[in-house]
Every structure is written in structure tokens, then in C-alpha cells.
Amino acid sequence: MKSESLPPQEPKTTIQVIDRMTALLDALARYPDPVPLKELSKVSGLHPSTAHRILNDLVVTRFVDRVEPGTYRLGMRLLELGNVVKSRLSVREAALDSMRALHKKTQQTINLSVRQGDEIVYIDRAYSERSGMQVVRAIGARGPLHLTSTGKLFLSVDEPKAIRAYATRTGLAGHNKNSITDLGRLERELSLVRARGYARDNEELELGVRCMAAGIRDDSGKLVAGLSISAPADRLQEEWLEDLVNTANQISATLGYIPE
């Protein structure tokens, strides 16, 4: 049985028993199997009698399970509390600070969008009125899936049959000469999105405006939102793409997503 190396020490609290309890929980989290007291004492740096006393209290409170005498694993109460945290953490809360940081770096509007039926809905944004010319999407505004960068992300994870059904329902209506209005062209575009891991809107929704988007996933791996940069067509910079993808990945990690 091997453990992973412990992370760098966090700053200690003012209550010693909490530090010791945390050290034991961190140690248990790094083993896939139940752990003997002797090993936990060694990894946590606690005297066996101290570790045993704290573990007994953690067993009583269900933070730790005693599998057999002298052997321990993390308890179900941690899962219960984790599910409470998950239920209260919205994608908007998880994304806001990262969106602000990305806006500060690019000086362009950063949009957070989700899918509702055959459209995307802008649910939040980060922008500044002092940042000069920007493309600002109103919160609550909508856009067709096939004409928006985030919409293409959502279509790209649909089955081929669902994509064809979407095309039939919407008629792939266009807004201008750049709009994708042909199913074959849309399918080719979605293949590129899957291969690249990000999507673009090259003036397909609005002339003079370009966007690029990266997906945000939850702990189950489901695509739950898209993060996009909207900018005047002649101002969108390719070097922002890496920052965009990294930011979307950070938000996904906050929601509990672990890439395979």
C-alpha cells in the first residue's frame, strides 16, 4: 500500500487539535485502502496515542470509519457535507473571480452562458465601462446555438441525430452573410470544435464581432456552461485563447471536474 506525497504544509490554525485532525484526514485521503494506525501516525507526524485519540472522536462523528481494529478510512459524513457544498455552489459563483481576472488581462467582455433549449442564455459577464470599445452582451440575452461560439460547444456534444433534429426545428436561420445555414457546414464546424476543444463565432451572429469559447464541466463531466470572449472583429487576439481555455478549466476544477 503506497501513499501519495503530502502537499506543502498549510498555515496552522490557532487550535492545535484542528491541525492534528486535518493532518489525519489529509493522510487518509491519500490512501485508496483502509490505513493502519501506525502508518497514519508516521505520515501525519503524530504520536500513535494522539492519533488514536483523535481518530476515535472522528469515528464517533462519522468523519472516519473504523474498518477493523486499528484500521481506518474516510467516513461517509465527508461525502454528505461535500454534496451539500456542491448543491450550493452555482457555476456563476464558481466563475466570477476567474472571469474578472480574464477581463483584466484582455480588457474585453467575458461572457458566461448556459444552454436553454435551442438557444444559449447569457447569465453573467465581466466588463468595464472604462476599457474602451467592447462588445457587451446583456445578461438574459439569447443567441442561436449554431451562430454562437458557446452554442457550438453545446451542439458538439450532442448525438448526430439530435443535431439533425435541431437543424430541422430551427431551419438553421441566419443573421448575415457569414451565418452557418447549411447542415453539412454545421457538422464540419462541430467536428472542428470537438477536435480543438474550443469554438469560434467568426461574425456569424453579428457582423464586426468575433467570439471564442471554452467549455465548463461539472464533477460528472457534463458540459454545464461556456466561457467566451467577445470583441470587435479586428481586436480579437489569438493569444487570448490559451488564457480562455485555462480559465474555463480552472472553473471546471472548482466545480469538481477531474479530466480523464
Side-chain angles (χ1 to χ4, degrees):
M1 179 172 58
K2 296 178 67 177
S3 72
E4 300 175 18
S5 59
L6 289 171
Q9 289 281 326
E10 295 288 335
K12 289 185 176 297
T13 69
T14 58
I15 303 176
Q16 188 180 54
V17 69
I18 293 179
D19 292 329
R20 293 173 172 179
M21 179 186 71
T22 302
L24 287 167
L25 292 174
D26 285 343
L28 283 166
R30 284 159 178 77
Y31 290 87
D33 302 312
V35 192
L37 173 61
K38 182 178 180 180
E39 182 73 9
L40 287 172
S41 173
K42 176 182 175 183
V43 173
S44 65
L46 298 175
H47 190 278
S49 63
T50 301
H52 183 259
R53 185 175 66 253
I54 296 173
L55 286 166
N56 281 343
D57 288 341
L58 290 171
V59 168
V60 171
T61 54
R62 296 174 49 242
F63 286 105
V64 170
D65 291 337
R66 183 184 290 110
V67 181
E68 55 187 42
T71 306
Y72 303 87
R73 68 183 176 194
L74 293 177
M76 292 300 294
R77 190 171 183 188
L78 290 168
L79 178 62
E80 293 166 2
L81 293 176
N83 284 333
V84 171
V85 173
K86 175 187 171 184
S87 68
R88 294 176 179 175
L89 180 64
S90 74
V91 67
R92 291 175 69 178
E93 292 170 335
L96 188 56
D97 287 346
S98 296
M99 290 173 64
R100 287 171 174 164
L102 186 58
H103 163 69
K104 185 176 181 180
K105 188 167 189 177
T106 64
Q107 294 298 299
Q108 298 300 321
T109 303
I110 311 302
N111 306 295
L112 184 68
S113 313
V114 297
R115 180 176 185 172
Q116 285 190 1
D118 292 339
E119 299 176 307
I120 62 160
V121 180
Y122 297 92
I123 63 171
D124 216 335
R125 67 191 180 202
Y127 79 107
S128 170
E129 294 179 355
R130 297 174 296 177
S131 296
M133 186 182 295
Q134 297 178 93
V135 178
V136 181
R137 304 295 188 194
I139 295 175
R142 295 172 177 266
L145 296 179
H146 65 291
L147 300 182
T148 56
S149 54
T150 293
K152 292 175 186 176
L153 289 174
F154 281 103
L155 281 176
S156 74
V157 300
D158 279 354
E159 296 292 331
K161 182 178 180 180
I163 295 170
R164 291 193 295 271
Y166 167 83
T168 300
R169 284 194 307 273
T170 64
L172 296 182
H175 285 207
N176 59 60
K177 61 184 180 65
N178 294 326
S179 298
I180 295 177
T181 57
D182 171 77
L183 177 58
R185 182 183 167 197
L186 176 62
E187 290 173 331
R188 291 190 294 274
E189 178 78 1
L190 297 179
S191 293
L192 286 175
V193 172
R194 295 185 198 102
R196 293 169 173 168
Y198 61 87
R200 297 177 183 273
D201 159 18
N202 288 312
E203 302 184 70
E204 296 155 45
L205 180 66
E206 181 180 348
L207 290 175
V209 176
R210 295 170 61 207
C211 305
M212 47 192 179
I216 297 171
R217 296 179 180 272
D218 65 12
D219 63 327
S220 69
K222 179 182 178 182
L223 182 67
V224 293
L227 187 73
S228 64
I229 299 176
S230 299
D234 59 350
R235 294 194 179 191
L236 193 71
Q237 299 178 26
E238 288 303 309
E239 56 263 35
W240 294 340
L241 182 59
E242 182 178 359
D243 293 323
L244 173 67
V245 172
N246 288 340
T247 301
N249 289 342
Q250 290 168 7
I251 298 168
S252 296
T254 300
L255 294 175
Y257 175 62
I258 301 175
E260 296 181 357

